[in-house]
Amino acid sequence: MTSLQLAGFSASLLIGVSLGLIGGGGSILTLPVLVYLLGINPVISTAYSLFIVGVTSLVGSVNFMRKKLVDYKAGIIFAIPSFTAVFLTRKYIVPAIPDVLFTLGDLTVTKNIGIMVFFALVMLAASYSMLRDSRNGADTEDEEPRFNYPLIGLEGAVVGVLTGIVGAGGGFLIIPALVVLARLPMRMAVGTSLLIIAAKSLIGFVGDVANLHIDWAFLLEFTALSVVGIFVGMYLSRYVASARLKKAFGWFVLIMGVYIISRELFFSPDLRNKSH
C-alpha cells in the first residue's frame, strides 16, 4: 500500500468523525479523498461517495432515532422530492453529460474537470454556511415545528440534484432548511438530516449500479472504516463545542474548495490543449 493509499484509508475515519460530530461534511471530504489520494475517476468517485456517506449516515441516524431526535414528518416532506431528484439525476443526467463539455480557445474542458469544479463551488457554499454566525436554531427548542411545505419541497429537490451530480449528501443545506423552514431544534435537525442523507444517497447509488462497474471489496472496506469514524465522532461530540468545530471545519472546506478549483483549472491533466 502506497503512502497516498494509506492516507486515503485513514481519511475515511475522518469522514465518519465529521458526520458524527456535526451531522454533515462527510461528502465534502469523501470526493477529494477518493479522487486525489486514491486516484479514482471522479464519476465513479461520486457514486462511491453516495454509498459511503449513505451507509455511514444511516448508522449514525439510528442513535438519533433511539433518542427520539428524528422528526419523521419533516424528513418525509423534504425527502420525497429529494429522493426523486437524486435518482433521476444519477440514472439519466450524469450518464448524459458529454465527455467533453466545451472548448475554450486551444483548451478542451472535460466532464471530469466539470464535476470537480462544480463540487468545489459546492464546497465554497458549504464553507459559507458553516462560517456564518448561525443562531437560528438557538431559540427553537420549545417551539412547535411549523412547516413551509413549498420551500421545504423545493430545497429538497435542489439538494437531490446536487447530490446526484457530485455525490454530496447536502447536510450543510438540509440542516439550515430544517431549522429555518420547519423550526426544528438543532439536535433534531442533525438527526433528521442524517436519516435524509442516508436514504437519499443510497437511492442515488442504486441509479449507478447498472451504469458503472463497482469495486465492492474496496467500497465495503472504505465504508467500514467510515462507520467506525462516526462512532468516534458521536463520542467526541459530548466533549467538543459543535459551533467552534463547525467554524474550524468551515475554514478547512474553504481552503479545500479553493485548492480544487486551482488544481483543476490550471494543473489538471484532463485540461487538454488541442495544439499538443
Side-chain angles (χ1 to χ4, degrees):
M1 182 179 287
T2 67
S3 57
L4 278 180
Q5 288 174 325
L6 183 61
F9 277 96
S10 300
S12 65
L13 287 168
L14 296 179
I15 292 164
V17 170
S18 169
L19 286 164
L21 277 170
I22 62 177
S27 53
I28 294 295
L29 291 172
T30 308
L31 192 62
V33 167
L34 293 174
V35 173
Y36 295 135
L37 295 182
L38 298 175
I40 299 173
N41 174 276
V43 175
I44 297 175
S45 292
T46 60
Y48 285 4
S49 176
L50 289 173
F51 183 85
I52 294 160
V53 173
V55 171
T56 307
S57 299
L58 181 61
V59 172
S61 69
V62 171
N63 186 53
F64 283 87
M65 287 188 278
R66 283 206 316 263
K67 296 178 180 178
K68 301 186 186 299
L69 288 174
V70 173
D71 190 300
Y72 296 100
K73 182 179 179 183
I76 290 170
I77 293 169
F78 190 98
I80 290 175
S82 187
F83 291 172
T84 304
V86 71
F87 180 80
L88 294 176
T89 300
R90 293 303 298 186
K91 184 73 175 175
Y92 299 108
I93 295 178
V94 172
I97 298 175
D99 289 334
V100 174
L101 295 179
F102 61 88
T103 57
L104 190 63
D106 292 332
L107 297 178
T108 299
V109 178
T110 66
K111 178 178 182 176
N112 288 343
I113 288 177
I115 287 176
M116 294 306 297
V117 169
F118 183 62
F119 181 77
L121 294 175
V122 171
M123 293 182 79
L124 296 181
S127 67
Y128 171 77
S129 174
M130 293 173 185
L131 290 171
R132 70 182 177 179
D133 184 17
S134 55
R135 298 175 183 171
N136 293 321
D139 299 319
T140 62
E141 298 293 333
D142 299 319
E143 292 187 27
E144 200 62 31
R146 298 196 303 270
F147 299 99
N148 186 327
Y149 295 102
L151 281 178
I152 293 175
L154 177 62
E155 181 145 1
V158 170
V159 173
V161 172
L162 180 70
T163 298
I165 293 176
V166 300
F172 66 94
L173 291 173
I174 297 172
I175 293 173
L178 293 174
V179 170
V180 175
L181 302 179
R183 307 295 297 171
L184 293 185
M186 187 65 189
R187 290 196 71 203
M188 186 166 282
V190 170
T192 306
S193 171
L194 282 174
L195 187 59
I196 293 170
I197 290 170
K200 177 167 53 65
S201 299
L202 292 173
I203 287 173
F205 178 75
V206 169
D208 283 319
V209 172
N211 297 327
L212 299 172
H213 171 71
I214 308 297
D215 184 348
W216 286 104
F218 162 79
L219 188 56
L220 293 175
E221 194 175 326
F222 194 97
T223 303
L225 289 171
S226 183
V227 168
V228 171
I230 200 169
F231 284 112
V232 175
M234 287 188 293
Y235 175 78
L236 292 176
S237 67
R238 304 176 192 175
Y239 309 103
V240 180
S242 61
R244 187 170 297 175
L245 179 75
K246 200 166 189 177
K247 289 210 170 187
F249 191 77
W251 282 110
F252 171 75
V253 169
L254 176 64
I255 293 167
M256 282 296 297
V258 172
Y259 168 77
I260 291 173
I261 288 176
S262 302
R263 187 183 193 280
E264 293 298 325
L265 293 184
F266 299 105
F267 304 105
S268 173
D270 282 343
L271 192 67
R272 298 195 296 267
N273 191 313
K274 294 190 299 182
S275 63
H276 289 78

